[in-house]
Amino acid sequence: MTEAQAKKRIEDLSRQLEEHNYKYYVLSKPSVSDYDFDMLLEELIKLEKEYPQLASPDSPTQRVGGQITKEFKSVKHKYPMMSLGNTYNEEELKDFDERVRKVIGNDFEYVCELKFDGVAIGLMYKHGKLMQAVTRGDGVKGDDVTANVRTIRSIPLNLKEGDYPEEFEIRGEIFMPLKSFEKINKDIAKQMTEDGYDEEEITDKLLKNPRNAASGTLKMQDSSVVAKRNLDCYFYFVYGENLGFKTHYDVLKKAKQWGFKISEHAVKCKNIAGVFDYIKEWNTERHHLPFDTDGVVIKVNSLAQQHELGFTAKSPRWAISYKFKAESVSTKLLSISYQVGRTGAITPVANLKPVLLAGTTVKRASLHNADQIEKLDIRVGDTVFVEKGGEIIPKITAVDLSKRERNSKPVEYISRCPVCNTKLERKEEEANHYCPNELGCPPQIRGKIEHFISRKAMDIDSLGEGKVEMLYDNGLIKTPADLYKLKYDDMIGLKSPPAPQRGVAPPPPKGGNTSKLKLDQRDGVLASPSFGGVGEAVGRGASSLQEKSVQKILAGIENSKEIPFERVLYAIGIRYVGETVARKLALYFKNMDALMNASLEELVNVQEIGERIAESVLDFFKDNRNKKIVEDLRKAGLKMEMDASSVLKKLSRKLEGLSFVVSGTFSNFSRDEIKEVIEQHGGKNQSGVSAKTNYLLAGDEPGPSKVEKAKKLNVAILEEKEFVKMIEK
Ligand code: IVH
């Protein structure tokens, strides 16, 4: 292929891919299968790799990101980013309408739009190409977030053929769709649960609401992470010189033709009564939208009349927002349950008389901890106010004291574990009570075993949560090591015992059972099974174990003996020893015995291991019961040392004096792993390509700017295979 042919093909592929993107993300009408899309994209990536001089910043390959922004450049807005005046009730809105009519009379229309709850953005287009994306900032100056915005697939990098002005700015709202928000939180919760964090710590790390999530994501340094977060954007305003439009509604229609995503819920209203109808409709309908809205924006439609009305110092006189009330309902607190997590953390849960709130039925709300109950002086039988202010979990905001029953009593917080009856502990400065019976409390034991078999640990996928529960309930497994003693005859035909005979749980304390905190619809995060808790056995009532299942379980357990040491170390569930920490410890200490005998000083010597982790490791091995489990696992044949054939083990000085920049994805390593290998062999990692770089280690889809720079500076580009050869020689 000649360069001219390549250029033509690149243009052709880019056009096709952008059109498919547009149909999928803007119109929500997919026009091609994922597979066909990927094939086209792959071809384009390959061509751009071959001809980097032909790769443009508008290429659809840029949608996957890769550019790192260390510091966002501050940019002055050409047109200041104003805000809108807010109204909260009909009266205030009527006042607005009167002010408008005083200036322009009665002959006019309004346009009502949804107020998207996200982050305002201004996009500059020149000759139909996206040039720059700037956040609101203080309204005068904002941050240049162009690299990140380019990854948002519904934002056109090139406008559709048409009559767009040579230069203009379009304003819109970047938001995170609810589905993406929920998925990200679910993933965070799952990962942290597997890494041994408790619910409080996890809740703390979760994205708080879709708006925060959108604004946080937009400010991330690595645009490839932004690309994975599925941000979206609706547009609602165009600035430019001599645009020639008569009405705001026409502007929206035109912007849509240029390829922008415009909400189909913008409507013209003849008068303020029409506006009220719109508000009334969306006050309830908004709960069925796939994104958050916090109100309605009302704009005078005619641009000439807008001009006549003008601006105050802060906001236009021709537009206003109406904010929906954070929905609050009152309901009765029926009881308080106490949930025991995998780490022993106790979470009190309010069981409410079911009530409809923001489109979902709420039956439970987290009460967080004892302090929270005391602070709100919540009592069983109280009528409480429940609110969902864009947060993930419904909150109890207050008690309706006027409805308090005369003989009500303050909540007596439990002092013993609701499952194993062990006296609870509360460490200084910690909000939660804990059940310290780590190795004897059923939800904690089951949680440990579930972690042990999980995909990133021993990967025994023939044993799910339900089967672990069944085996545990039948007294067959009490520790992860017991899995390796299971026999065919023990398991065949096994059933869960009927609920009342289960386990060692004492009768639940008064005022509560121990059911899982299952929140509703949008609260899917906490309904995740990985949050432990007891009561609702997944396997309960399931049919008995049949031959095939038993054989699969035994095979899965047998195969797990091949799992490398670093994952065994992760699997045994030392608190704070997640996947990465386990790998670091395994690399450093090489075997279990060395780790078990390590002192605090030695442990903190390991790169990135702090005192909190070190102490947790020491505590774990101080307990003879843990030592016994490790010994049993060793006897069962699990790997207790680094594999001699592992590439990670072959430490050498082969890369000494060499600097690497790692970019793209690799088939045999994660990016962190490959960086680690470089260091293990004496090499250095750099974040950006410079004259001092020796190699750009490029996996699949490396950052095009890195490739370009490497070529410019004559830095050798190395493929994964070549790299492995370098260290294997
Ligand atoms: S029009 C001159 N329309 O709300 C101001 N704004 O409080 C033009 N917003 O800064 C703004 N949805 O970030 C407009 N349909 C919509 C909107 C909207 C959300 C945001 C925007 C604005 C803020 C005003």
Side-chain angles (χ1 to χ4, degrees), residues 214-350:
S215 98
T217 302
L218 211 53
K219 289 295 191 58
M220 285 180 142
Q221 297 197 332
D222 186 347
S223 62
S224 63
V225 182
V226 182
K228 294 195 187 98
R229 287 195 154 193
N230 292 321
L231 294 177
D232 204 340
C233 187
Y234 275 119
F235 292 91
Y236 46 68
F237 204 81
V238 175
Y239 279 103
E241 322 275 305
N242 309 318
L243 296 176
F245 293 111
K246 289 213 157 47
T247 67
H248 173 65
Y249 200 76
D250 288 347
V251 174
L252 294 182
K253 267 203 308 208
K254 223 5 157 211
K256 191 170 178 178
Q257 285 170 17
W258 297 336
F260 292 103
K261 185 158 172 164
I262 306 290
S263 165
E264 70 229 36
H265 304 305
V267 301
K268 287 191 271 193
C269 296
K270 287 252 163 301
N271 49 38
I272 199 75
V275 173
F276 288 141
D277 288 346
Y278 184 88
I279 288 173
K280 193 161 170 231
E281 179 188 348
W282 284 104
N283 192 26
T284 49
E285 265 316 292
R286 67 186 164 123
H287 301 307
H288 302 124
L289 290 169
F291 51 84
D292 269 348
T293 51
D294 58 343
V296 165
V297 179
I298 302 113
K299 300 172 184 170
V300 169
N301 193 19
S302 150
L303 300 188
Q305 286 174 329
Q306 282 189 6
H307 189 75
E308 221 180 314
L309 283 155
F311 293 83
T312 68
K314 278 192 277 174
S315 51
R317 287 202 187 86
W318 44 263
I320 200 137
S321 86
Y322 173 90
K323 293 264 204 155
F324 295 129
K325 286 176 198 67
E327 267 199 65
S328 172
V329 287
S330 69
T331 188
K332 198 168 167 161
L333 173 62
L334 301 175
S335 64
I336 296 175
S337 304
Y338 296 88
Q339 180 198 355
V340 188
R342 177 162 89 77
T343 56
I346 307 291
T347 310
V349 179

Side-chain angles (χ1 to χ4, degrees), residues 82-84 86 113-116 119-120 136 172-173 236-237 239 297 299 311 316 318:
M82 296 210 156
S83 60
L84 294 172
N86 290 322
E113 290 166 27
L114 298 176
K115 187 168 191 305
F116 310 105
V119 193
R136 164 203 281 281
E173 197 86 354
Y236 46 68
F237 204 81
Y239 279 103
V297 179
K299 300 172 184 170
F311 293 83
W318 44 263

